[in-house]
Amino acid sequence: MDTAHASASALAPARAPAHDLTPSRASRTPTRPAAGDVHVWFVRPPRSGSVPRSPGAAAGTAADSGLPAPDSGFTAPDSGLSVAELRRAASFARAGDGDVYATAHAALRRLLGGYLGRPPAGLTFVREPCPGCSGPHGRPAVVQTDDAPTLHFSLAHSRGLIAVAVAPRVIGVDVERLPSTGTVEACARALHTRERAELAAVPPEERQAYFGRLWTRKEAYLKALGTGLSRHPRIDYLGADLRRRPARWAVLDLPAGPEHTAAVAVDGVRPDRVTVRWLPAHRPGDGPAAPDAAYGSTTDRSPR
């Protein structure tokens, strides 16, 4: 449920509509997605504590502020992270949470830098106006310096998995680790009335996965809207009946392995193709990625 926003079909287990699955070779550099395409990247975060951190030091130093020391390996030139991102990563009470945050934002910069042909550290991020109050806390966006079509993105991370989605139109992505039975029971009350009915009709042994799919669709959609969870989850229906889902939006389940559920939401008609890739983790402190390194394994999901 941790995301880039400040920030979880018949009554059988929900599945994305039929897709053709065809293998595709990973490219050495990411090419901007075509008008009808969506690119999704998954990254495994590092083991807890595997990103080097500096010990405390005298007041007024980087270590005192929570920033890693220059010789720790966890530095902006290596990771591409800004000072604000480094400070945020160092602020988490648990080192593992900071490692995931740093790895997620380093992966985002690495990918967007590849798409835009710019160094990761040279990217600048802003917030679009909130659709509810017009405040500066809507969807995150990257400042582009060319006349090419806007490249939209969304970032999400949960325990054990990071997701980055990129498209030439507004997009939201979410990934969640499968919830416990207790979490399903506690959070079901936040679902739309019809979603709760669908969940109750699912066999008990399938409810965790079913709830996970419902919740990731919901968060992906709310992130794409730009509201996040400031818009109550029970307002919008993202269950099995495609006819009742929000008009003008396409919301698709994604393959995320046996321990997670994931979904993507895009503005407009269903995408022609959703390409899912697994990106080798590049941890802050590992140094720059090799310029000719492949971008990982690929699966194409082409909606019919």
Side-chain angles (χ1 to χ4, degrees):
M1 214 173 290
D2 296 327
T3 67
H5 275 271
S7 57
S9 259
L11 297 184
R15 291 184 174 85
H19 293 74
D20 289 326
L21 298 183
T22 55
S24 173
R25 290 174 55 189
S27 61
R28 290 186 177 274
T29 56
T31 302
R32 282 181 184 245
D37 291 357
V38 169
H39 292 179
V40 178
W41 301 83
F42 286 122
V43 186
R44 296 286 184 193
R47 297 185 306 276
S48 177
S50 63
V51 174
R53 293 173 178 276
S54 62
T61 66
D64 180 62
S65 68
L67 293 174
D71 61 354
S72 70
F74 188 19
T75 60
D78 284 349
S79 66
L81 297 178
S82 68
V83 171
E85 288 167 331
L86 290 167
R87 192 182 302 276
R88 171 67 172 150
S91 71
F92 286 87
R94 295 188 301 180
D97 293 340
D99 293 349
V100 171
Y101 174 91
T103 302
H105 285 261
L108 176 66
R109 284 180 171 273
R110 178 187 176 194
L111 287 167
L112 293 181
Y115 281 113
L116 299 172
R118 294 163 57 191
L123 300 177
T124 300
F125 294 95
V126 296
R127 288 281 185 171
E128 295 179 351
C130 171
C133 68
S134 299
H137 47 258
R139 287 183 297 265
V142 61
V143 176
Q144 295 184 210
T145 57
D146 55 25
D147 295 327
T150 301
L151 189 67
H152 296 271
F153 71 89
S154 184
L155 170 68
H157 47 90
S158 185
R159 289 173 296 163
L161 194 59
I162 296 161
V164 177
V166 180
R169 50 179 159 156
V170 169
I171 190 166
V173 72
D174 190 50
V175 61
E176 302 286 346
R177 193 172 182 90
L178 288 179
S180 66
T181 301
T183 296
V184 173
E185 293 175 353
C187 295
R189 68 192 68 177
L191 297 175
H192 186 280
T193 303
R194 291 183 181 274
E195 293 170 342
R196 292 202 302 271
E198 292 176 11
L199 182 66
V202 171
E205 65 274 13
E206 297 177 7
R207 284 179 190 160
Q208 289 165 269
Y210 195 95
F211 176 86
R213 287 190 291 270
L214 277 172
W215 196 261
T216 52
R217 288 180 212 142
K218 196 170 290 286
E219 284 221 40
Y221 170 69
L222 293 175
K223 289 174 67 179
L225 279 183
T227 64
L229 290 172
S230 66
R231 180 180 174 90
H232 201 286
R234 74 166 58 97
I235 295 174
D236 304 291
Y237 171 82
L238 275 301
D241 189 345
L242 301 183
R243 299 167 301 176
R244 295 181 181 275
R245 291 189 185 179
R248 202 179 60 82
W249 291 90
V251 183
L252 302 174
D253 295 336
L254 298 171
E259 297 181 344
H260 295 82
T261 55
V264 66
V266 290
D267 183 17
V269 299
R270 289 169 55 82
D272 297 324
R273 173 168 297 193
V274 179
T275 301
V276 179
R277 294 183 176 95
W278 289 79
L279 182 71
H282 180 62
R283 302 173 302 168
D286 283 348
D292 60 346
Y295 270 76
S297 59
T298 304
T299 299
D300 285 342
R301 299 172 63 84
S302 306
R304 288 189 294 211

